[in-house]
Amino acid sequence: MGTESRLSRMEQQFAFIKEIDGVKKIGRQSYLKDGSRKENDAEHSWHLAMMALLMGEYANDTIDLLRVISMVLVHDIVELDAGDTYAYDEAGNATKRERELAAADRIFHILPEDQAEYLNDLWEEFEENITPESKFAHTLDNIQPMMLNDATDGKAWKEHQVKLSQIMKRQEKTKDGSVSLWEYARENFLERNLESGVIIKD
């Protein structure tokens, strides 16, 4: 009998909570609004949860807001093992799914089986991007870095010499969760950085 099966339900839950403390150390490419440093995955997930709480009214469809908030809190936990894959890293994205599946299997199964299945289902729902909730979660996940890039005069975009075609490919489904939020982001975060030359036209 394995060690995990000898742990009580609460012990398993605390073990998981302690394990995901590491999410605070997973760095991302987006800078904080003052440009002082890059955000981490925990900060990113919290930011998305707040966006969901406040902006759920702009979803294209009726959504279960608690499910969206739960989904965005869970969606990057797999990066504890898989690491953050930059949106425009083609080589990294080629192996992303395989790495993240292995991570999900290990990390979620620290929990009692019912909760492991629940978090895994939330993560898979986000990845599949089919339900109204997952589409809205993706909208938030795509727009938040754009907002931070705009706030820092495109600091991360400049560092990576990001082209318009890359951004538009990344954002091609953003409107599926919220046309209103996508239109706002396009007009206020994208177009002016394109006009100023921060984003490379191609």
Side-chain angles (χ1 to χ4, degrees):
M1 191 175 286
T3 304
E4 288 182 14
S5 61
R6 293 197 297 267
L7 298 177
S8 72
R9 182 176 180 86
M10 189 179 292
E11 285 171 330
Q12 288 177 283
Q13 291 164 334
F14 269 117
F16 176 80
I17 294 297
K18 184 166 65 175
E19 181 72 8
I20 65 169
D21 184 69
V23 173
K24 299 172 186 175
K25 296 179 68 175
I26 307 297
R28 293 174 49 80
Q29 293 302 315
S30 298
Y31 283 89
L32 303 185
K33 69 173 185 175
D34 65 0
S36 60
R37 66 170 174 84
K38 293 177 179 178
E39 68 173 353
N40 63 51
D41 270 354
E43 293 165 332
H44 171 68
S45 296
W46 162 81
H47 218 179
L48 297 188
M50 286 300 301
M51 289 175 73
L53 182 63
L54 299 174
M55 296 180 157
E57 64 192 87
Y58 302 114
N60 289 343
D61 301 299
T62 301
I63 55 171
D64 178 344
L65 192 55
L66 178 59
R67 191 160 186 85
V68 175
I69 292 170
S70 301
M71 202 177 297
V72 297
L73 288 173
V74 167
H75 83 293
D76 275 345
I77 287 176
V78 294
E79 294 184 359
L80 266 172
D81 290 357
D84 176 61
T85 304
Y86 184 48
Y88 307 118
D89 175 3
E90 290 185 16
N93 278 293
T95 62
K96 180 181 177 185
R97 177 67 177 168
E98 182 181 351
R99 287 181 285 116
E100 291 189 345
L101 279 170
D105 187 58
R106 182 192 78 80
I107 299 163
F108 295 144
H109 283 91
I110 295 171
L111 284 164
E113 190 57 36
D114 63 315
Q115 291 187 325
E117 185 177 337
Y118 175 60
L119 294 199
N120 193 78
D121 287 350
L122 282 171
W123 177 69
E124 284 285 14
E125 182 178 344
F126 177 83
E127 290 296 303
E128 290 170 358
N129 196 18
I130 295 172
T131 64
E133 287 78 12
S134 61
K135 289 177 181 179
F136 188 67
H138 270 275
T139 295
L140 302 179
D141 192 38
N142 289 349
I143 285 177
Q144 187 257 9
M146 290 179 66
M147 177 190 70
L148 292 177
N149 260 300
D150 178 66
T152 57
D153 296 319
K155 193 167 183 176
W157 282 332
K158 290 175 187 174
E159 280 185 2
H160 295 278
Q161 297 183 311
V162 174
K163 298 174 182 176
L164 177 61
S165 61
Q166 292 174 295
I167 293 174
M168 295 310 292
K169 183 177 180 182
R170 164 86 173 157
Q171 301 291 341
E172 62 186 358
K173 293 186 177 181
T174 301
K175 67 181 183 300
D176 294 351
S178 173
V179 170
S180 299
L181 291 178
W182 164 241
E183 286 301 321
Y184 182 91
R186 184 181 58 78
E187 292 173 13
N188 292 277
F189 306 146
L190 185 61
E191 287 185 0
R192 66 179 169 208
N193 284 285
L194 188 60
E195 289 169 7
S196 68
V198 168
I199 298 168
I200 301 168
K201 294 181 181 179
D202 61 345

